[in-house]
Amino acid sequence: MSQLIFGFEDLYKINAIPTLVLSIGLLGIIGILLTLGRRLDSAMKLERFGIPIALLVGAIGFLIGPYGPFSLLPERVLDTWMKLPTPLLTLVFATLMLGRPIPRVGGLWKPVASQALLGLLLGFGQYVVGGVIVLSFLLPHLGVDPLMGCIIEVGFEGGHGAAAIMGDSFRKLGFPEGLDLGFAMATVGLLASTLLGSGLVVIGRFLGWLVPADKLINNDLNDVDMEFKPLEQFRLLLCNFALAGFAVLIGIFLLYCFRLSSIYVGDISKQVILAFPVFPLALMGSFFVRFIIEKTENTQLVSSLFQREIGILSTDLLIITAMAGLNLPLLVNYWVPISILAIGGLVWNLAGMLIFSRLFFSEEWFERAIAEFGNSTGVAASGLLLLRLADPRNSTNTLPVFSVKQLFLQPLLSGGLITVIAPLFISNFGLKGWTVFCGLISLFLCVLAISLQSKYTKAFNTN
């Protein structure tokens, strides 16, 4: 009997196609049901109160997942799903610039600059908070690895995609637990971003912090989007998937060229290049495709509606797969350091959301701050999700500002260059030196942002 069982096990190892088909098929069915269910009146009411339907579906996924009480979802399916955060996040970034006209930088550079400064402050501040917590408590009392000072930024800013990529770097630096802890922190950040962010949107709406939804309605959809023509819409949908895929291919090509250059640099620089992820470059690919479309006057090929739906669906599936794979045994084993680091990171992000944003932004502060809170707690996909809750009709200028800001900041934080450099710096020069460096950068960013805001406020009053 045991030989028969092992025979089937070996057969599965040889032929993994059924599991792949089952995994992608289940996810596809969930995606279709999500897309249809999001349009139901009850789901729209829930999202209006800051409760995304993806969060509820993700909770069901956890209940039937391998670590849930019912365990109906095969572990092999979950293993496949846990490889999807990076592709899903890459697809989100591939649609980010495609669905909207390229903004004129002349009128956006001031808000983009202030948005970028807040994003940089939150990212570098997470290293400061993590470093202080590890140096003052976790290292002397629990004997954790100093590289845990990176976990907040990797999990919160980078998410599951960055955690998966950085896991190999952590392993090479003698910190193999970094992969699992990064996934755990990313899951906590994603849940906290959705729950706290949604609560903040409800509070902001109650206190009148949000721009009124009827102030301005931007209707940027193509005419074909508003008409019910099944064949035409299906063709347009395929075309928009192809455009997003082309943006991803450009990102992959740029990453390939980037990695080819690693043979001409030193060991540390080579490690940085080889660990660099693809999704920041997919954002550049999205910008490039949109630029070509506008220059060739073929904007009718792209649909704002479909690009937004592709991005939203990818975000929802990212949340669902992450919640279904919530590893409770891991969180139980590391609940003390994970809890302390998560609380410290959330307090810092909330301070950025409610305090620093008031100093950095002169208008539409809540919408711009909630997008940055989501990005700094549960990656850019969560930032877009919270922005959609706070500004469902695009009544503010936040989306183009946030999109342009991502074009410059994504290659640095959230799995970019700084995320890759941090563990290498800590291994070579120590956590204390990195924490001091990030603290000085954070202080400089605060002074610069407040100075710029004061300068433009005086100029506005003079005029």
Side-chain angles (χ1 to χ4, degrees):
M1 184 68 180
S2 61
Q3 292 179 350
L4 180 63
I5 294 176
F6 284 121
F8 281 116
E9 182 68 17
D10 292 338
L11 179 63
Y12 165 76
K13 291 179 180 178
I14 295 174
N15 185 10
I17 294 179
T19 298
L20 180 61
V21 172
L22 177 63
S23 304
I24 302 300
L26 284 175
L27 207 60
I29 294 173
I30 292 173
I32 294 173
L33 295 177
L34 262 178
T35 304
L36 297 176
R38 202 187 301 116
R39 284 154 177 77
L40 298 177
D41 185 62
S42 56
M44 295 175 68
K45 288 181 179 178
L46 285 173
E47 291 204 348
R48 195 174 298 121
F49 284 100
I51 304 176
I53 187 174
L55 184 65
L56 302 180
V57 179
I60 296 174
F62 165 70
L63 293 176
I64 65 174
Y67 303 108
F70 298 105
S71 299
L72 299 177
L73 191 66
E75 189 170 352
R76 291 164 181 164
V77 171
L78 183 64
D79 291 340
T80 302
W81 282 9
M82 293 309 292
K83 294 179 175 63
L84 296 178
T86 298
L88 289 173
L89 189 58
T90 302
L91 190 57
V92 171
F93 280 103
T95 62
L96 197 57
M97 301 294 294
L98 267 174
R100 285 178 157 269
I102 297 177
R104 296 185 179 275
V105 181
L108 286 180
W109 79 269
K110 176 184 174 293
V112 168
S114 58
Q115 192 82 25
L117 288 173
L118 180 61
L120 287 171
L121 175 64
L122 291 177
F124 279 101
Q126 288 176 6
Y127 283 118
V128 177
V129 172
V132 169
I133 291 175
V134 171
L135 289 171
S136 61
F137 180 77
L138 298 183
L139 188 60
H141 293 88
L142 299 179
V144 301
D145 194 291
L147 290 176
M148 280 201 72
C150 302
I151 291 297
I152 297 179
E153 198 276 339
V154 169
F156 279 12
E157 285 267 359
H160 292 83
I165 293 171
M166 293 304 298
D168 187 55
S169 297
F170 284 138
R171 180 183 58 80
K172 292 178 179 178
L173 295 173
F175 184 43
E177 300 87 356
L179 175 63
D180 292 330
L181 293 178
F183 274 130
M185 185 62 73
T187 303
V188 172
L190 192 61
L191 294 176
S193 171
T194 305
L195 296 174
L196 286 180
S198 301
L200 287 171
V201 171
V202 174
I203 294 173
R205 185 174 291 114
F206 177 76
L207 296 178
W209 289 343
L210 279 70
V211 173
D214 57 351
K215 175 183 175 183
L216 177 65
I217 300 178
N218 293 330
N219 188 0
D220 56 354
L221 305 181
N222 299 334
D223 292 336
V224 69
D225 294 335
M226 307 304 295
E227 302 176 6
F228 184 70
K229 297 180 179 179
L231 293 178
E232 181 68 18
Q233 289 186 344
F234 183 70
R235 182 194 66 82
L236 189 60
L237 176 62
L238 293 180
C239 181
N240 278 265
F241 265 114
L243 291 173
F246 186 50
V248 172
L249 288 177
I250 292 175
I252 294 174
F253 174 75
L254 292 176
L255 182 64
Y256 177 75
C257 295
F258 193 39
R259 289 183 175 177
L260 280 180
S261 66
S262 64
I263 61 177
Y264 303 105
V265 298
D267 291 339
I268 296 180
S269 300
K270 185 175 183 178
Q271 293 180 42
V272 172
I273 292 174
L274 293 179
F276 197 79
V278 68
F279 46 84
L281 302 177
L283 178 60
M284 295 183 180
S286 176
F287 176 83
F288 179 76
V289 173
R290 182 71 202 196
F291 178 80
I292 295 298
I293 288 175
E294 292 189 5
K295 288 299 181 181
T296 57
E297 298 182 353
N298 287 311
T299 54
Q300 76 279 0
L301 296 176
V302 63
S303 165
S304 301
L305 175 63
F306 285 145
Q307 290 297 326
R308 187 170 69 241
E309 285 297 315
I310 294 171
I312 290 173
L313 181 60
S314 299
T315 303
D316 290 344
L317 293 179
L318 178 63
I319 294 174
I320 292 169
T321 53
M323 291 190 64
L326 185 62
N327 192 337
L328 280 184
L330 177 68
L331 294 180
V332 169
N333 291 335
Y334 291 94
W335 74 272
V336 173
I338 287 291
S339 299
I340 295 175
L341 288 171
I343 291 172
L346 287 174
V347 169
W348 170 253
N349 287 351
L350 286 172
M353 164 76 197
L354 300 174
I355 299 176
F356 291 109
S357 63
R358 301 286 192 106
L359 302 175
F360 283 36
F361 305 146
S362 57
E363 56 185 10
E364 301 173 352
W365 73 270
F366 186 86
E367 288 80 4
R368 296 174 62 184
I370 197 67
E372 212 56 53
F373 173 81
N375 180 67
S376 299
T377 309
V379 305
S382 295
L384 294 173
L385 174 66
L386 294 179
L387 178 59
R388 178 160 56 95
L389 295 176
D391 187 18
R393 296 185 175 183
N394 292 330
S395 302
T396 70
N397 210 30
T398 304
L399 183 57
V401 169
F402 183 80
S403 301
V404 175
K405 185 270 300 184
Q406 288 299 107
L407 191 61
F408 296 102
L409 252 67
Q410 193 64 41
L412 295 177
L413 295 168
S414 307
L417 190 62
I418 301 300
T419 306
V420 174
I421 288 176
L424 300 175
F425 188 103
I426 293 173
S427 297
N428 288 278
F429 304 102
L431 178 59
K432 185 176 181 180
W434 178 251
T435 304
V436 171
F437 171 76
C438 292
L440 294 175
I441 293 293
S442 300
L443 182 61
F444 170 75
L445 292 170
C446 282
V447 173
L448 179 60
I450 295 173
S451 300
L452 289 176
Q453 187 63 34
S454 175
K455 174 184 175 182
Y456 285 107
T457 300
K458 290 180 180 179
F460 177 80
N461 293 334
T462 303
N463 295 332

